[in-house]
Amino acid sequence: MRVTTDLWVSALIRRVFGGGGFAAVMRKGAAESGAVFVLTRDRLGTVELFGPAPQTSYDQARPDERLFVRLGDGEDQDALQARLERERKFDSDIWVVEIEAGAVPVEELLSVSLP
């Protein structure tokens, strides 16, 4: 059984704050099953965007875990915002969470699938 998106996002935010970082929900989507996009920002201003991994990234060993892929990075925040806008037009139920991870690496907060 998969946890609701609302619960998963709440747990992510709690983990970020617990590690000395900051997190905010920039857009709240469907509580039960909205797709989650995570915008990370480090203290130097570098930004990365993570989104849901394609279904082909899942295997039978971990079918219930949310996997993410890196969708973009760099300092071009306008391009990342444009990507999020296209995603919102495609699916109006998306969540956008922005985090500054602090002492906890992003890879410990999100399960990132390799391309």
Side-chain angles (χ1 to χ4, degrees):
M1 182 171 182
R2 192 168 179 174
V3 299
T4 64
T5 302
D6 190 36
L7 180 63
W8 189 89
V9 169
S10 295
L12 172 65
I13 291 171
R14 187 171 270 248
R15 289 184 67 202
V16 170
F17 277 110
F22 176 78
V25 175
M26 305 304 289
R27 177 175 175 75
K28 187 173 183 176
E32 295 81 27
S33 61
V36 179
F37 291 84
V38 179
L39 195 62
T40 65
R41 185 179 313 272
D42 68 12
R43 298 187 195 280
L44 299 174
T46 304
V47 179
E48 291 181 301
L49 177 63
F50 295 89
Q55 292 295 320
T56 57
S57 300
Y58 290 86
D59 61 13
Q60 292 300 333
R62 301 182 307 179
D64 294 329
E65 185 175 351
R66 287 181 188 262
L67 295 177
F68 290 85
V69 293
R70 182 175 284 112
L71 299 175
D73 58 6
E75 295 183 13
D76 188 3
Q77 296 177 25
D78 292 334
L80 297 179
Q81 291 298 330
R83 172 71 187 257
L84 285 172
E85 185 60 26
R86 285 192 308 272
E87 294 290 347
R88 187 197 60 77
K89 286 180 181 177
F90 178 73
D91 179 6
S92 62
D93 289 335
I94 68 169
W95 289 69
V96 178
V97 180
E98 186 168 339
I99 63 174
E100 187 176 300
V104 180
V106 173
E107 291 76 16
E108 288 185 25
L109 297 169
L110 303 174
S111 296
V112 179
S113 176
L114 298 175

